[in-house]
């Protein structure tokens, strides 16, 4: 598989993560959609990790899930979000990126 295709798998897997993670909370997302999204997202991430560094794959996957589920939460809660919550989400994303940047040389 090419790197381009692997990155496409990561992006699609990250988007599917938003669906299944949101489906655990919101009844508007049918359980069958949650299950299919969950299984497909992990399948795509596993396939991408065979070509790309696992740390990078997981960091992008987790970052997309964090941002996406936060956006869904804001939409379903009527647009209510505190600045402190946004700050902690950004801090979480910064930590994921920081872990990746400090782990250089540990992946092949």
């Amino acid at each position: 598989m090419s790197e381009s295709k692997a990155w496409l798998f990561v992006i699609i897997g990250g988007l599917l993560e938003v669906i299944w993670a949101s489906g655990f909370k919101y009844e508007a997302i049918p359980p069958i959609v949650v299950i299919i999204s969950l299984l497909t997202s992990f399948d795509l991430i596993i396939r991408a990790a065979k070509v790309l560094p696992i740390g990078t794959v997981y960091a992008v996957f987790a970052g997309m899930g964090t941002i996406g589920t936060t956006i869904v939460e804001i939409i379903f809660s009527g647009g209510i979000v505190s600045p402190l919550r946004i700050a902690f989400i950004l801090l979480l994303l910064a930590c994921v990126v920081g872990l990746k940047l400090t782990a250089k040389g540990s992946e092949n």
Side-chain angles (χ1 to χ4, degrees), residues 49-54 105-108:
K50 291 179 180 177
V51 175
L52 303 170
I54 186 67
S106 65
E107 295 181 354
N108 290 325

Side-chain angles (χ1 to χ4, degrees), residues 1-7 9-10 44-54 56-57 107-108:
M1 168 185 342
S2 69
E3 281 192 24
S4 299
K5 189 172 183 179
W7 278 114
F9 282 8
V10 172
L44 292 172
I45 295 306
I46 290 166
R47 291 174 189 236
K50 291 179 180 177
V51 175
L52 303 170
I54 186 67
T56 303
V57 168
E107 295 181 354
N108 290 325

Side-chain angles (χ1 to χ4, degrees), residues 29-38:
I29 302 171
I32 189 69
V33 173
V34 173
I35 293 167
I36 291 170
S37 297
L38 178 88

Side-chain angles (χ1 to χ4, degrees), residues 15-30 34 37 65-74 76:
L15 294 173
L16 289 172
E17 181 190 15
V18 175
I19 294 169
W20 65 256
S22 299
F24 287 146
K25 183 171 183 176
Y26 300 108
E27 294 177 10
I29 302 171
V34 173
S37 297
T66 300
I67 292 169
T69 53
T70 300
I71 291 169
V72 169
E73 179 90 15
I74 291 167
F76 275 85

